[in-house]
Amino acid sequence: MRYLLDNKKFSLYILASVPVVDLFLLIFVMLDLNEGQSATFAHGLAAAYIGFTVAFGKLLITWADKVCESKFKGTDYTETALIGWAAVIDDLKLWGRCILAVAIIYTLLILITAFVNDPQKTQALEIWFKIPFFTVFMWFIFGPLWSLVFFKRSSNR
């Protein structure tokens, strides 16, 4: 919105509404389950979405803003690949955000499960206790550990 319509103020309102949308999503999940519906994979996906937006939202929006500014305003944007310890540290920071997202997902899943208080109705959420754990494990292997094992040094040496 900021670059397409050239309206920075309107885009700020849209960005400010993201947490409100997350809150409404959580409310709608709780209302749906409160009406006696059994939890589905989508209810767990809502928790994952909220965890992702809280942990990665600002980072993702900053990146998208730079890319869009480059496309619509013709500014120069090139990502420089990190090498050496900077790459390892950056991957550790991203992995930390992944852990934060998973902590939020687990917290929301526990709250949803406690709210419904019926194991048969929340059985579909069980997979969501496995997927995030697997994600943290794989992220570590192909993030910080990968950067450490295949450590790239600066070509200036």
Side-chain angles (χ1 to χ4, degrees):
M1 289 296 167
R2 180 181 306 207
Y3 301 104
L4 189 61
L5 299 177
D6 198 27
N7 191 337
K8 189 173 184 174
K9 193 173 184 180
F10 182 63
S11 69
L12 290 175
Y13 288 127
I14 291 174
L15 288 176
S17 71
V18 171
V20 175
V21 170
D22 289 350
L23 181 63
F24 276 116
L25 179 61
L26 188 58
I27 289 169
F28 290 140
V29 164
M30 298 302 239
L31 287 174
D32 190 41
L33 295 174
N34 192 40
E35 291 178 1
Q37 298 294 324
S38 292
T40 65
F41 185 82
H43 292 99
L45 187 60
Y49 169 78
I50 292 169
F52 177 84
T53 58
V54 170
F56 290 99
K58 187 175 189 282
L59 187 70
L60 187 60
I61 288 169
T62 301
W63 170 82
D65 195 35
K66 289 177 185 175
V67 170
C68 287
E69 184 177 22
S70 171
K71 281 194 180 287
F72 292 110
K73 289 199 171 183
T75 61
D76 185 34
Y77 173 70
T78 53
E79 286 190 53
T80 55
L82 296 174
I83 57 173
W85 286 109
V88 175
I89 291 169
D90 188 59
D91 282 338
L92 280 169
K93 287 178 182 177
L94 288 173
W95 186 58
R97 286 181 182 267
C98 177
I99 292 170
L100 173 63
V102 168
I104 293 167
I105 293 167
Y106 283 164
T107 301
L108 292 175
L109 289 172
I110 290 167
L111 288 173
I112 291 169
T113 304
F115 179 77
V116 174
N117 199 23
D118 184 350
Q120 287 189 316
K121 287 188 176 185
T122 58
Q123 186 176 7
L125 296 177
E126 287 179 17
I127 189 72
W128 282 106
F129 285 97
K130 297 173 185 163
I131 293 172
F133 180 78
F134 180 74
T135 303
V136 168
F137 176 74
M138 295 306 287
W139 194 305
F140 178 76
I141 293 198
F142 291 107
L145 185 62
W146 190 271
S147 293
L148 193 59
V149 170
F150 297 105
F151 194 84
K152 293 179 184 171
R153 298 200 191 299
S154 173
S155 59
N156 296 342
R157 290 186 175 179

